[in-house]
Amino acid sequence: MLEQLLIFTRGGLILWSCNQFSNALKGSPIDTLIRSCLLEERSGAASYNYDAPGASYSLKWTFHNDLGLVFVAVYQRILHLLYVDDLLAAVKREFSRLYHPKKTIYRDFDEIFNQLKIEAEARAENLKKSNPLPVRKHQAAGQGQGYKPRSERNSDDGASKNDSDGKRGNKLENGRVIVTNDSNLKSNGSNNKMVNNGKENESSNIGAFDVNRLQKLRGKGGNGKKVVDAVVAKAEPKKVIKKNRVWDDSAPQAKLDFTDHVDGDGNGSVDFLAKEQGESMMDKEEVLSSDSEVEEDDDDTGKDSKSGAKKKGWFSSMFQSIAGKANLEKSDLEPALKALKDRLMTKNVAEEIAEKLCESVAASLEGKKLASFTRISSTVHAAMEDALVRILTPRRSIDILRDVHAAKEQRKPYVVVFVGVNGVGKSTNLAKVAYWLLQHNVSVMMAACDTFRSGAVEQLRTHARRLQIPIFEKGYEKDPAIVAKEAILEASHNGSDVVLVDTAGRMQDNEPLMRALSKLIYLNNPDLVLFVGEALVGNDAVDQLSKFNQKLADLSTSSTPRLIDGILLTKFDTIDDKVGAALSMVYISGAPVMFVGCGQSYTDLKKLNVKSIVKTLLK
């Protein structure tokens, strides 16, 4: 049963809704759709699933871009209504005939909608009767006998075929099977080429030795296997076993601490003080270059200068630009969208996200009338630019200093937890944030909650001594959630305004460490959870951030789990124009980029310039 059908304008004015359903929707599926899909450029998706306590809805929608109308249908997800798409298309067609910009009440559309709904249901029922689901005889006979689908049988056949060729690592060469020892064939990451049935296979790596020489040895005859094994065994380096450190409990702790110590006056053996480095880049406004970007026009051959895709001729393109097109069709938008998708992917945007963005832009332009003297490529470019600005612009306030003063008025410290995968620079950028806060006369305390990685406490202690701020530590092999809780209590006693919590790096698939992180966030309820990620990654950024959010949601014991609030991008100075990771991470999580790390010193921390990023992505 259809729960709701709503028609409203792009500006949010509700024009008509079906009032024949007495049951009110549970939760707010329409508002969630607008926030999660329409405003975040996910309108190209086929449907949206909304979950609320006691209800589970599916939502489908369509646009009339020329009139600026949105049509949304809501129904129970378990029903799988087949006529919704057909009904939305019919409602869109009939309502557009009645629509007038100055008219806001459409009570005469009730009867039209009832008739359209009956016709759509009848067509769906006839289609179901005329096209019943086929029942395969072999499938019915195969039940209970280990029958598998074709895809599984193909994969199994492929596996058995590989197994029948021999052991793992067997190579098929000129119709002969050459058995190699998989334990000896170590990959060293080089891109060596193996000959397989006369063709080169670049995905095969056999180690740091001459592949051509091994192939010649194999071609000598039946003893090729022994020769290959001998060469591999000789080329394999000996494994160096590190000796275990013997920890003596009776030894004083001072013998194990090699960090620089500070005396009672605050003077230490550090070569320089952090305050001498100057003003943080967070407080400096970045000035954009005023040089206008020259758009890449089509050349005289009628092909795009980058993609090489064939375009329409000069005369038809110019005539369309002067006279204007009645309504844009999807086929008109595809060449320009494909060029934009390729451009985004070259800037390190994940392919999946680039494709979704192009689908969303196509959905927002399809059916829209093209203005005179306007090219389709320029229209698509402008729509994509607006979409990128809308995605990267934070939808809530990210003024940390204001939030810190608000927490100070409530006489509690402002707590920030830094999370992320291994080696992205959490501790270093935590120190940069601390330096920026110190410049605004905010008292800061560090909490060493990375009790897993060796040297993590000493690293944070060194930063604390350089910045001359207190640090709360309990050593290693302690529960980080308890350490963070005690640090917050200590900050409340000594009057610290901000507590920066350093956590251990962990991969998104490590469930024990992710469970410990979820416990830390649930137990301490921080004001801000910052995900620290590298600007160097592309598709990995999507996987890391989405799985972090998913694990925090799945492993939390709260009914409203706490997810990532903001993003800190590191190593931003090493990527040139490959800035797509910022777009990928914001798109997949909805969290804003609050800080950007761009160097090694404490001052190298700045804000994300949205206009600069969008300009670089579309350049």
Side-chain angles (χ1 to χ4, degrees), residues 64-67 326-329 333 362 365-369:
H64 196 301
N65 292 310
D66 193 25
L67 300 179
N327 293 103
L328 288 173
E329 299 176 359
L333 302 171
L365 292 178
E366 190 176 355
K368 193 173 183 179
K369 187 175 181 180

Side-chain angles (χ1 to χ4, degrees), residues 45-102:
S47 62
Y48 176 75
N49 294 328
Y50 174 81
D51 292 315
S56 181
Y57 299 118
S58 287
L59 292 86
K60 289 191 175 183
W61 61 91
T62 186
F63 302 113
H64 196 301
N65 292 310
D66 193 25
L67 300 179
L69 302 178
V70 183
F71 303 81
V72 182
V74 185
Y75 59 94
Q76 293 287 347
R77 192 188 309 175
I78 196 174
L79 296 180
H80 300 288
L81 301 182
L82 302 178
Y83 63 87
V84 174
D85 293 328
D86 188 17
L87 179 61
L88 281 174
V91 169
K92 172 183 173 181
R93 181 182 63 252
E94 296 298 329
F95 189 84
S96 60
R97 298 173 181 174
L98 300 176
Y99 176 72
H100 190 277
K102 295 183 179 180

Side-chain angles (χ1 to χ4, degrees), residues 331-536:
S331 58
D332 301 323
L333 302 171
E334 284 179 354
L337 288 174
K338 185 181 183 302
L340 274 180
K341 176 185 173 183
D342 295 339
R343 186 177 302 178
L344 290 174
M345 290 174 60
T346 59
K347 300 300 174 64
N348 219 16
V349 178
E351 180 181 4
E352 177 186 359
I353 292 175
E355 186 173 351
K356 288 182 178 180
L357 276 172
C358 291
E359 291 175 356
S360 179
V361 171
S364 65
L365 292 178
E366 190 176 355
K368 193 173 183 179
K369 187 175 181 180
L370 185 67
S372 301
F373 299 96
T374 305
R375 299 185 59 185
I376 295 178
S377 59
S378 302
T379 303
V380 173
H381 188 280
M384 179 63 76
E385 184 177 356
D386 293 340
L388 295 179
V389 171
R390 192 157 47 246
I391 292 171
L392 292 173
T393 302
R395 289 175 297 280
R396 60 179 179 83
S397 174
I398 56 174
D399 190 349
I400 294 181
L401 294 176
R402 187 197 64 181
D403 296 339
V404 168
H405 290 296
K408 187 176 180 180
E409 291 178 356
Q410 299 178 6
R411 297 183 179 180
K412 65 176 185 178
Y414 187 84
V415 182
V416 184
V417 175
F418 292 76
V419 303
V421 299
N422 308 79
V424 295
K426 290 185 297 299
S427 301
T428 302
N429 285 274
L430 181 148
K432 293 180 184 179
V433 173
Y435 180 74
W436 170 65
L437 291 172
L438 289 174
Q439 287 192 323
H440 289 272
N441 299 321
V442 175
S443 59
V444 183
M445 186 178 76
M446 295 182 179
C449 295
D450 184 355
T451 62
F452 183 78
R453 176 175 64 89
S454 299
V457 177
E458 287 78 12
Q459 179 186 6
L460 204 65
R461 189 187 302 158
T462 301
H463 285 304
R465 287 172 179 167
R466 288 176 178 269
L467 297 172
Q468 298 182 1
I469 60 177
I471 178 174
F472 186 89
E473 56 175 285
K474 286 291 185 179
Y476 296 97
E477 297 184 1
K478 302 292 191 304
D479 189 347
I482 302 301
V483 175
K485 189 174 185 64
E486 294 178 358
I488 296 173
L489 291 175
E490 179 66 21
S492 301
H493 293 320
N494 62 22
S496 297
D497 299 330
V498 178
V499 179
L500 303 180
V501 180
D502 184 30
T503 63
R506 64 205 76 207
M507 297 306 294
Q508 60 270 24
D509 297 320
N510 191 328
E511 184 166 337
L513 288 179
M514 290 302 300
R515 191 178 299 275
L517 179 62
S518 178
K519 177 184 176 183
L520 186 149
I521 295 175
Y522 172 73
L523 187 62
N524 296 283
N525 190 24
D527 298 280
L528 183 65
V529 179
L530 272 182
F531 179 85
V532 184
E534 285 184 339
L536 301 168

Side-chain angles (χ1 to χ4, degrees), residues 34 36 53 160 212 234 290 300 360 389 403 421 493 502 555 580:
I34 295 174
S36 302
S160 61
N212 296 327
K234 185 176 180 180
S290 59
D300 297 334
S360 179
V389 171
D403 296 339
V421 299
H493 293 320
D502 184 30
L555 300 176

